[in-house]
């Protein structure tokens, strides 16, 4: 099927980015939000994403801009890059995204709904149950959940053959991975439609052949972040030194705490809490101590890059 109308459910860190990227690539995009208050929280996120695109384009439009560390493949291809065209697409995207709190109205003609709500099983399940009778028969439904399997929700969607996972990375204009993972009822044609859609919004489709909690990326990333947090929580070292050790020792561009700031401390805290709650968890990390430290940062309003401060301070 040809996807034109896209609805993103949830306008948080990732939902706003997915919406912006799809609008940047010319799709008709609506973000569904649960309340007027959520609209007030999503608008500044969209404004800062627009600024991030424009700042990235400005950096790409310099003599060193084609280096892989600077050039954002979600924005353009190096050989056809034209900064003015990209800026026009950014303006058009920012003006075109619709925000809607009436779910039925938002999805009434949707070809694709991308669920990117908070990582809470109960909320997602309730959302799918409410959504199922409102969706047109044609609509493909995907989840951007980082830690939950689509098979856990398929039966609540009313369309298991049209339900799968499409998982993005944070800062999707730069980190343009799209992990695509079906469950046993997903029809191949719908899986393939999502592979094509991912390419159409300038992502690199990465196909999983079976369900795996954490997909490919987080299966590697999460133990890495836990290892960093554990070193801090047990007093072995501090965030700056831990990050510096990783960057100097491997040539990577960021260490675990810089990455957590980008992901957001709330999401990280929720993941750590899941492990705190596993009875007799044998993973070799001090999850309670890690949760305590993250909670102290959250209580101080240090939510990460999007809030201007997390483990590090950022210029607004
Ligand atoms: N942050 C990341 O780096 C990242 C990366 C990839 C995938 N994800 C996934 O994307 C999803 C969203 O994560 P995020 O970081 O954007 O979270 P977030 O906390 O920034 O945003 C969550 C959004 O969901 C909305 N929401 C929460 N509960 C709701 C409910 N009951 N009904 C309707 N809306 C509700 C909030 O208002 C907000 O708009 C999660 O499933 C997460 O696992 C996050």
């Amino acid at each position: 099927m040809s996807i034109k109308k896209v609805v993103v459910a949830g306008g948080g860190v990732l939902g706003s980015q997915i919406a912006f990227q799809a609008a940047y690539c010319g799709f008709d995009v609506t973000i569904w939000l649960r309340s007027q208050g959520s609209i007030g929280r999503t608008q500044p996120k969209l404004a800062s994403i627009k600024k991030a695109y424009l700042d990235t384009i400005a950096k790409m439009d310099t003599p060193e801009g084609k280096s892989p560390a600077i050039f954002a493949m979600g924005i353009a291809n190096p050989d056809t890059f034209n900064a003015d065209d990209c800026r026009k697409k950014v303006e058009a995207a920012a003006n075109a995204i619709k925000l809607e709190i009436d779910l039925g109205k938002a999805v009434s003609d949707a070809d694709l709904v991308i669920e990117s709500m908070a990582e809470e099983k109960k909320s997602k399940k309730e959302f799918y149950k409410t959504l199922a009778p409102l969706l047109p028969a044609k609509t493909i439904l995907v989840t951007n959940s980082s830690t939950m399997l689509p098979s856990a929700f398929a039966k609540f969607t009313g369309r298991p053959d049209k339900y799968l996972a499409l998982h993005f990375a944070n800062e999707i204009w730069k980190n343009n991975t799209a992990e695509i993972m079906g469950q046993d009822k997903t029809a191949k044609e719908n899986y393939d439609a999502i592979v094509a859609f991912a390419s159409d919004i300038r992502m690199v489709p990465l196909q999983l052949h079976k369900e795996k909690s954490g997909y490919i990326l987080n299966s590697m990333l999460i133990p890495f972040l836990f290892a960093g947090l554990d070193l801090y929580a047990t007093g072995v070292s501090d965030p700056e030194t831990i990050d510096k050790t990783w960057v100097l020792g491997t040539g990577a561009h960021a260490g675990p705490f810089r990455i957590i700031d980008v992901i957001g401390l709330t999401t990280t805290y929720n993941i750590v809490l899941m492990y705190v709650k596993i009875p007799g968890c044998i993973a070799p990390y001090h999850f309670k101590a890690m949760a305590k430290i993250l909670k102290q940062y959250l209580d101080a309003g240090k939510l990460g890059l999007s809030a201007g401060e997390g483990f590090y301070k950022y210029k607004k």
Side-chain angles (χ1 to χ4, degrees):
M1 80 172 284
S2 158
I3 293 171
K4 293 190 182 69
K5 292 198 170 187
V6 178
V7 175
V8 180
V13 174
L14 253 285
S16 331
Q17 292 182 19
I18 298 163
F20 204 95
Q21 182 67 25
Y24 176 81
C25 294
F27 286 84
D28 176 330
V29 179
T30 301
I31 305 179
W32 171 74
L33 296 157
R34 65 180 150 167
S35 67
Q36 208 58 43
S38 303
I39 291 192
R41 286 187 290 278
T42 296
Q43 279 164 334
K45 285 200 183 78
L46 291 170
S48 69
I49 292 168
K50 176 182 169 186
K51 183 174 179 307
Y53 275 66
L54 292 174
D55 289 350
T56 308
I57 292 165
K59 283 189 203 147
M60 286 157 66
D61 195 23
T62 58
E64 62 281 4
K66 295 251 165 72
S67 78
I70 294 174
F71 201 86
M73 293 299 290
I75 290 181
N77 289 337
D79 47 350
T80 53
F81 172 59
N82 177 303
D84 286 337
D85 287 351
C86 292
R87 285 189 192 101
K88 279 184 202 145
K89 283 169 67 179
V90 169
E91 288 299 334
N95 293 332
I97 295 172
K98 290 163 271 191
L99 305 181
E100 177 59 63
I101 53 176
D102 180 331
L103 183 58
K105 204 168 148 195
V107 303
S108 65
D109 193 26
D111 298 311
L112 171 65
V113 173
I114 302 173
E115 177 273 303
S116 190
M117 286 166 32
E119 194 68 341
E120 292 160 14
K121 195 169 182 184
K122 202 167 156 233
S123 306
K124 288 191 196 276
K125 184 175 134 186
E126 290 311 314
F127 170 73
Y128 291 133
K129 283 171 143 180
T130 311
L131 178 70
L134 302 173
L135 281 182
K138 65 174 179 176
T139 314
I140 300 178
L141 174 60
V142 297
T143 179
N144 180 40
S145 170
S146 294
T147 60
M148 298 174 202
L149 297 174
S151 56
F153 300 106
K155 66 174 178 245
F156 305 115
T157 64
R159 59 194 60 234
D161 61 319
K162 292 194 177 73
Y163 178 62
L164 62 155
L166 170 60
H167 184 243
F168 297 90
N170 203 346
E171 303 201 328
I172 69 175
W173 60 96
K174 289 192 278 184
N175 305 323
N176 63 334
T177 58
E179 294 179 281
I180 299 160
M181 179 170 84
Q183 34 83 30
D184 62 358
K185 304 244 166 28
T186 310
K188 185 174 182 315
E189 63 189 36
N190 298 319
Y191 185 101
D192 292 345
I194 294 306
V195 172
F197 170 74
S199 293
D200 289 345
I201 60 165
R202 305 194 54 82
M203 299 292 110
V204 177
L206 302 163
Q207 301 183 39
L208 277 78
H209 307 310
K210 58 190 280 195
E211 273 195 322
K212 166 78 175 85
S213 175
Y215 306 82
I216 299 169
L217 179 62
N218 282 343
S219 295
M220 298 184 280
L221 179 63
I222 289 177
F224 171 67
L225 300 182
F226 283 172
L229 278 168
D230 198 68
L231 288 168
Y232 181 32
T234 54
V236 174
S237 192
D238 55 89
E240 289 81 6
T241 307
I242 295 165
D243 276 7
K244 200 194 285 177
T245 308
W246 184 256
V247 168
L248 290 175
T250 65
H253 78 285
F257 293 93
R258 187 72 71 182
I259 295 173
I260 292 172
D261 273 359
V262 173
I263 294 169
L265 272 70
T266 308
T267 299
T268 310
Y269 178 66
N270 285 334
I271 296 171
V272 169
L273 272 192
M274 282 171 36
Y275 284 83
V276 169
K277 287 176 191 159
I278 298 173
C281 176
I282 54 159
Y285 306 110
H286 302 79
F287 290 112
K288 277 189 189 156
M290 286 153 62
K292 193 172 161 199
I293 284 204
L294 286 164
K295 180 91 174 30
Q296 283 163 1
Y297 278 79
L298 293 175
D299 288 347
K302 298 176 184 178
L303 311 182
L305 175 64
S306 67
E309 186 168 359
F311 290 104
Y312 297 91
K313 277 193 176 170
Y314 302 89
K315 283 187 203 144
K316 287 232 173 174

